[in-house]
Amino acid sequence: MEKITKIVGLIFDLDGVIVHTDMYHYKAWKKLADRLNIFFDDQINNRLRGVSRMESLEIILENAKTLNPSDSEKEAYATEKNETYKELLKQMTQADLSKDVAKTLYELKERNYRLAIGSSSRNAGLILDKIGLSDFFDAVSDGNNITNSKPDPEVFLKAAEYLGLKAEECIVIEDADAGVEAAHRAGMKAIAMGDAVLHNNGDWNIKNFNEILDILKQL
Ligand code: B16
Ligand code: MG
């Protein structure tokens, strides 16, 4: 019989799960791609979900075979994209945190779950600050404390470690297929939402954030 471990911790992806900064990533990459005359669309953008900034750039450059940028030019492109992205983030306010997400997060805290962020983003701190959640989570594991981005499990293993929990005591909530794979490689179950639902690799699929509460009740 399968040993059932009690779920104590929840690890949330940030972009595309807690808040829709994914649309700002898209706009910022699109601006760079247009300037460089590189084809970029929604489908390519979906491959960037959960992937680090430099790896995202490499995916975009797959459509620019004749460009051949040097490493320092690539650094400059990534910086240019990040500057546009941060400019777009300036518009964000606490109103960007949906009522559904806010209510569910507070309910989970009330139910004594340990809550963490597991994001590939190096801008996670800035975003959490913008939406008024900088002191909310028990732990934040993000692009600043990892060497390998999703689908590598590092970001989630670090989040569990920061929470003081074993991997199997945690569930991950993700919008990226790469993030679902990272959760599984970390030995965690994954709730898929948004784009990740289409890949059908999650242990559960949800449409609305508050469905997390029902899933946890059934465990
Ligand atoms: P940054 P997540 C990821 O965040 C995004 O999904 C991905 O599109 C982005 O390239 C990555 O963060 C790095 O972001 O450029 O801000 O460091 O979904 O793992 O929360
Ligand atoms: Mg995401």
Side-chain angles (χ1 to χ4, degrees):
M1 218 171 76
E2 197 194 345
K3 193 173 153 272
I4 297 167
T5 310
K6 190 171 181 276
I7 296 302
V8 195
L10 299 169
I11 306 175
F12 298 90
D13 171 58
L14 183 61
D15 291 299
V17 167
I18 297 292
V19 75
H20 283 286
T21 35
D22 45 343
M23 66 185 177
Y24 297 135
H25 277 296
Y26 173 79
K27 282 186 186 168
W29 282 124
K30 178 78 179 140
K31 188 173 174 205
L32 178 75
D34 284 352
R35 184 178 79 68
L36 298 173
N37 250 319
I38 303 173
F39 177 74
F40 181 69
D41 66 0
D42 263 3
Q43 245 176 316
I44 301 169
N45 185 58
N46 282 336
R47 289 177 57 205
L48 313 183
R49 288 177 189 277
V51 173
S52 75
R53 200 179 305 161
M54 285 312 279
E55 286 168 299
S56 299
L57 178 67
E58 292 295 347
I59 292 172
I60 288 167
L61 291 175
E62 286 172 14
N63 280 298
K65 292 274 187 260
T66 53
L67 199 60
N68 273 324
S70 64
D71 285 351
S72 64
E73 280 168 329
K74 285 182 188 175
E75 285 289 344
Y77 292 158
T79 304
E80 182 180 332
K81 179 266 171 177
N82 196 46
E83 290 307 314
T84 311
Y85 179 61
K86 285 201 293 189
E87 203 49 49
L88 291 165
L89 288 181
K90 281 188 184 159
Q91 321 162 17
M92 280 184 83
T93 66
Q94 294 201 11
D96 284 82
L97 181 69
S98 77
K99 287 214 174 73
D100 182 30
V101 173
K103 218 170 149 240
T104 306
L105 285 176
Y106 280 96
E107 174 73 34
L108 290 167
K109 194 167 244 193
E110 191 79 357
R111 291 191 198 175
N112 290 321
Y113 284 101
R114 307 265 297 144
L115 308 177
I117 288 289
S119 165
S120 301
S121 177
R122 301 176 102 168
N123 293 300
L126 173 67
I127 296 163
L128 289 172
D129 195 37
K130 281 278 184 192
I131 56 176
L133 291 182
S134 46
D135 295 323
F136 178 83
F137 291 93
D138 299 300
V140 174
S141 172
D142 63 26
N144 298 299
N145 64 253
I146 53 168
T147 317
N148 308 298
S149 87
K150 303 163 188 176
D152 190 281
E154 188 181 2
V155 73
F156 296 137
L157 290 172
K158 286 260 168 67
E161 184 191 320
Y162 296 162
L163 288 176
L165 299 175
K166 294 192 199 110
E168 62 268 29
E169 292 176 306
C170 302
I171 286 181
V172 165
I173 299 90
E174 259 293 346
D175 75 313
D177 195 42
V180 170
E181 186 184 333
H184 288 158
R185 281 168 63 181
M188 302 171 187
K189 290 217 164 25
I191 299 176
M193 57 186 288
D195 186 67
V197 171
L198 306 175
H199 297 270
N200 213 19
N201 292 321
D203 299 281
W204 302 271
N205 288 326
I206 59 169
K207 203 160 175 251
N208 300 306
F209 199 82
N210 61 45
E211 291 167 53
I212 296 168
L213 298 168
D214 301 328
I215 292 170
L216 294 170
K217 270 188 200 153
Q218 286 160 19
L219 293 179

